[in-house]
Amino acid sequence: MTQLKKGSDLTELAKSSGEVIRFHALDALRVIAFGVLILYHIGMYYVLEWGWHIKSEQPQAWLQDVMILTNQWRMSLLFLISSMVLTALLTRIEPQPLLFLKRAGVLIAQRTQRLLIPLLFGMFVIVAPQVYIEWTVDGVIDTTFTQFYLAYINPDTQWLAERHSDIGLLTWNHLWFLPYLWVYSILLILLFPVMAQLRKLQIGMITFAFASSTAMVAIWLMLRNTYPTTHDLLNDWYSHAKYFLVMIVGAVIILQPKLWEALERTRYVSMLVALCMYSLIIADRHDMFGPVGDWMTEFLWFRVLVGYIVVLNHWAWLAAILGFGKRYLNKPMAWVKYLNSGVLPYYMMHQTLIVVAAYALHSIGFPVGIQFVLILLVTLVGCALTYELAKRNLVTRILFGLKAKPQGITQINDIMSQAPSTSVFTKTVFKPFTKASQ
């Protein structure tokens, strides 16, 4: 088992018997997942009836069915990938208790730096234009951005008191993923010595699928209505239970490698189940089953049935994505290598760029198709420029969650990192880091 030298970065644990073992599929799926997120948030500008920071004057009702395809699992996919990569890293730490605590402490410190510093920077700088535009469009404020910003960053401001949280007007909007991931990562690290015992078991695919689905149904039935999604961290118990279960499932897949192999073999079955469950959900939204709403309150068996439909839709899409990803994406690709390094800057910037572009274009009267293309281009170009500028300076690298440039060793990839990750499936021969390999 590889050990770290004193003072080394835990995320640089990449060598084992002269090899680097890498999850190429997870690298690619991470990039694709963030791409889906960008398209989804552009869709939120256009979709009919769903509230967002700014809405198009040309809403599209048909978009609801399309966006429902991903809104059940798009964030779960990010948490799942994060958990799998983190668990792969944890399995490479020496199991002795004192040594594990030391290494875990280093990893927690790194996660804190890589997630919470970008969160604070994003709240104070990146999110502010979103809030200003939203409140301006809604008629809540009629002031300059400078006047708004001075109040926005002032925790003691009395302006718009009805919109205050515990920290005043500051908010994290789409950056809620960062504090949630930080909390779940810390819990997973602390629980890992216990979870690592799962490597001694033989968990079958049927048992795994039934246990994860039933646990998610229980969460759906008990918490969804009582604690609706808020993204406020302290009271968002349905989201916490759902996403932390996803993190646990990701860890189990790494600790039981045969499960991912089984997901690859059954990828077409998972896709069929996912399409069937999605079709049922869409059919119900269009009242094809008649007025069944009262059954949800009258019959427990019906609530359980609906719960399994929703949950199977969620897990089957994730299973299919992992299965097809392992089958077709588990190889090095130049575009993945580049984009995988910039997922956090892209994530931090994309929604603000969408809101600003939509605000600038919404009154011009372009057809929807042209407007969509322009918003997408502004978003992608803005994200790319942000990443290119951020990675060239140590301060901006830290503010955007990028790692300081590596010195002499390949890195392990985590969900918000540019480093490679470990895999039991695809091996890449380790070579000393050189300038040409950046």
Side-chain angles (χ1 to χ4, degrees):
M1 185 71 68
T2 305
Q3 296 189 32
L4 294 177
K5 295 181 180 179
K6 184 176 180 180
S8 64
D9 190 329
L10 188 59
T11 60
E12 292 180 349
L13 181 56
K15 292 190 296 183
S16 180
S17 302
E19 294 179 324
V20 172
I21 310 174
R22 179 170 181 168
F23 273 145
H24 293 296
L26 291 184
D27 292 343
L29 289 176
R30 176 190 291 115
V31 171
I32 293 171
F34 278 102
V36 169
L37 189 64
I38 291 174
L39 292 174
Y40 186 89
H41 282 153
I42 296 178
M44 286 298 297
Y45 172 58
Y46 290 104
V47 68
L48 181 68
E49 295 178 351
W50 297 3
W52 203 53
H53 306 287
I54 183 173
K55 297 298 295 185
S56 171
E57 296 178 349
Q58 306 174 72
Q60 306 294 311
W62 61 270
L63 262 181
Q64 290 187 12
D65 290 352
V66 176
M67 295 179 68
I68 287 172
L69 178 66
T70 64
N71 73 358
Q72 297 295 308
W73 51 262
R74 59 189 173 83
M75 296 308 300
S76 289
L77 179 60
L78 294 177
F79 284 113
L80 184 70
I81 295 170
S82 176
S83 174
M84 293 174 71
V85 176
L86 176 59
T87 303
L89 175 57
L90 289 169
T91 59
R92 301 175 67 81
I93 301 177
E94 290 287 357
Q96 290 89 344
L98 292 180
L99 184 58
F100 180 86
L101 287 175
K102 179 180 179 181
R103 307 307 187 215
V106 174
L107 183 54
I108 289 172
Q110 291 174 354
R111 285 285 167 130
T112 301
Q113 174 188 320
R114 302 289 297 283
L115 295 176
L116 296 192
I117 290 178
L119 173 65
L120 291 175
F121 173 68
M123 291 172 65
F124 276 90
V125 177
I126 296 174
V127 168
Q130 297 181 37
V131 182
Y132 175 74
I133 289 173
E134 178 181 354
W135 291 355
T136 298
V137 171
D138 291 346
V140 176
I141 60 175
D142 183 12
T143 184
T144 66
F145 179 77
T146 300
Q147 292 172 319
F148 156 80
Y149 186 73
L150 291 175
Y152 173 78
I153 63 174
N154 179 9
D156 296 323
T157 183
Q158 300 303 310
W159 189 51
L160 298 175
E162 70 280 3
R163 293 178 177 266
H164 283 205
S165 67
D166 293 337
I167 55 175
L169 295 174
L170 275 173
T171 182
W172 51 48
N173 276 8
H174 69 292
L175 300 180
W176 67 268
F177 175 71
L178 300 182
Y180 281 52
L181 179 59
W182 180 80
V183 171
Y184 304 156
S185 296
I186 302 307
L187 290 175
L188 190 61
I189 291 169
L190 296 177
L191 292 173
F192 183 76
V194 176
M195 293 191 62
Q197 303 306 311
L198 292 174
R199 285 181 288 189
K200 302 176 182 179
L201 304 178
Q202 295 294 326
I203 302 176
M205 183 64 183
I206 295 177
T207 300
F208 176 69
F210 176 78
S212 56
S213 297
T214 300
M216 187 68 84
V217 169
I219 291 170
W220 190 84
L221 289 172
M222 293 188 294
L223 298 177
R224 182 178 61 94
N225 291 327
T226 306
Y227 298 100
T229 299
T230 60
H231 296 157
D232 69 355
L233 188 63
L234 298 181
N235 300 296
D236 203 9
W237 295 109
Y238 170 64
S239 293
H240 288 325
K242 173 183 177 179
Y243 292 130
F244 190 60
L245 176 60
V246 170
M247 295 281 286
I248 292 175
V249 166
V252 172
I253 292 174
I254 294 299
L255 295 171
Q256 294 279 314
K258 290 185 178 180
L259 287 176
W260 200 355
E261 296 173 357
L263 290 174
E264 181 185 13
R265 291 194 304 270
T266 59
R267 61 190 183 277
Y268 286 104
V269 175
S270 297
M271 180 61 74
L272 179 61
V273 172
L275 289 172
C276 288
M277 297 303 104
Y278 167 71
S279 298
L280 289 175
I281 291 171
I282 295 301
D284 177 64
R285 285 183 60 84
H286 291 277
D287 296 322
M288 296 180 66
F289 300 127
V292 297
D294 291 340
W295 291 17
M296 287 291 291
T297 56
E298 295 178 6
F299 304 111
L300 175 61
W301 67 266
F302 187 75
R303 292 198 298 275
V304 173
L305 175 62
V306 172
Y308 269 103
I309 291 173
V310 172
V311 166
L312 287 175
N313 178 68
H314 172 268
W315 283 129
W317 282 112
L318 293 178
I321 289 168
L322 284 181
F324 280 98
K326 182 178 180 299
R327 178 64 179 84
Y328 297 107
L329 300 175
N330 209 28
K331 56 187 176 181
M333 292 172 279
W335 64 273
V336 171
K337 180 179 179 181
Y338 173 78
L339 291 175
N340 187 56
S341 302
V343 288
L344 185 51
Y346 273 68
Y347 168 70
M348 292 175 67
M349 287 299 300
H350 81 277
Q351 184 162 292
T352 294
L353 290 168
I354 292 170
V355 171
V356 170
Y359 181 64
L361 294 171
H362 84 285
S363 61
I364 296 180
F366 285 134
V368 171
I370 295 177
Q371 191 181 69
F372 170 82
V373 171
L374 290 174
I375 292 174
L376 180 61
L377 285 175
V378 169
T379 303
L380 294 180
V381 171
C383 288
L385 289 175
T386 298
Y387 172 49
E388 286 299 322
L389 293 173
K391 70 181 183 180
R392 300 175 188 278
N393 179 277
L394 178 60
V395 174
T396 53
R397 289 183 73 88
I398 293 174
L399 292 177
F400 281 94
L402 298 173
K403 192 170 173 34
K405 287 190 177 182
Q407 299 294 325
I409 189 169
T410 306
Q411 302 166 293
I412 287 184
N413 220 343
D414 66 38
I415 187 63
M416 289 304 174
S417 165
Q418 64 177 22
S421 43
T422 41
S423 173
V424 295
F425 303 115
T426 301
K427 295 186 177 181
T428 302
V429 176
F430 176 80
K431 297 180 179 179
F433 184 86
T434 64
K435 186 174 182 179
S437 65
Q438 290 187 33

